[in-house]
Each structure stands twice: as C-alpha cells, then as structure tokens.
Amino acid sequence: VQLQASGGGLVQTGGSLTLSCEASGRVFADLTMAWFRQAPGKEREFVAAISRRGGSTQLADSARGRFTISRDNARDTVTLQMTSLKAEDTGVYLCAARWRSSQALSELTTSRPWSYWGQGTLVTVSS
C-alpha cells in the first residue's frame, strides 16, 4: 500500500487546514485509515481513525471538537479537516493504513498496529 499525504502548510493560530491522503495498492474499502502526528522531539501520537466504510471514527482527546476525519472510497482518499488550530498542533502529519482490520478503532490508537505509513505532510501553526 502506498500512501500520499498532502495539504500541509503554515497557518495562524485559530485557522483551518484540510489534509488529504490518497491510497493505492489495495482496495481502499479494505483499509482502515488513520492520522498520526509527530512534533519535533516528541513521540508520534494518534490523531484520528476511520473505519473501512466510514461508519465509525475515533478521535484523540486533543482533536475532538476541532478535527473531523472522513473518507471517500470512490476516490481512495481520507481527509482530516482541522479547525481552531493551536500551536501545539504543529508537526508532521502522517496517514496510516491497516488492511482488513477487525479490531475496534479504540484499540488502534498507538503506532504499532498500523502496517502502512505515508511520508507525512508538515503543518505549522504560528502563534
């Protein structure tokens, strides 16, 4: 599976940004998808995940109420809409995929279960 993330950039505090990740190599509807982020000097952290058909989502506490994850299985794309951005949202955002996962999204909030990773897109929130 190849994952190509895009949409990062520089935004002011309180602003919005939408990230996209396009997948190839597997039937997209067979992939559970997620976003993680990694700030300089910090460990990779879970942001959001979405089930294969999009019926279930899981958000980190830091993202809840501000970020929305969605997917378009016709376009092989998962999207992360981010609003009310804060300086602490700065980091490289990586999309991840897991093929034919049967686990609940709540069990997939660490890096280890995810098999495929994209190269990431940088988000910088200036205060």
Side-chain angles (χ1 to χ4, degrees):
V1 175
Q2 291 77 47
L3 303 172
Q4 182 70 41
S6 62
L10 175 65
V11 63
Q12 290 187 330
T13 300
S16 301
L17 208 57
T18 297
L19 308 182
S20 295
C21 175
E22 185 173 359
S24 61
R26 291 278 192 185
V27 175
F28 188 65
D30 284 341
L31 298 174
T32 300
M33 302 295 297
W35 288 95
F36 285 75
R37 68 186 180 194
Q38 188 159 19
K42 293 190 176 181
E43 298 217 346
R44 189 172 296 180
E45 67 171 338
F46 171 79
V47 177
I50 188 165
S51 61
R52 290 186 280 171
R53 297 293 187 267
S56 297
T57 62
Q58 180 82 21
L59 290 168
D61 289 344
S62 59
R64 200 165 291 122
R66 300 187 299 127
F67 295 2
T68 302
I69 186 171
S70 60
R71 66 188 294 157
D72 184 340
N73 284 0
R75 297 178 183 268
D76 298 348
T77 300
V78 61
T79 297
L80 184 68
Q81 295 176 286
M82 305 185 293
T83 64
S84 302
L85 284 162
K86 307 174 183 179
E88 51 263 43
D89 294 318
T90 293
V92 175
Y93 282 69
L94 306 107
C95 61
R98 189 175 157 85
W99 187 61
R100 291 188 176 174
S101 175
S102 59
Q103 287 183 265
L105 297 179
S106 58
E107 300 175 0
L108 301 174
T109 59
T110 61
S111 299
R112 189 165 182 171
W114 298 90
S115 307
Y116 306 102
W117 293 87
Q119 87 292 351
T121 185
L122 177 62
V123 172
T124 304
V125 184
S126 65
S127 55

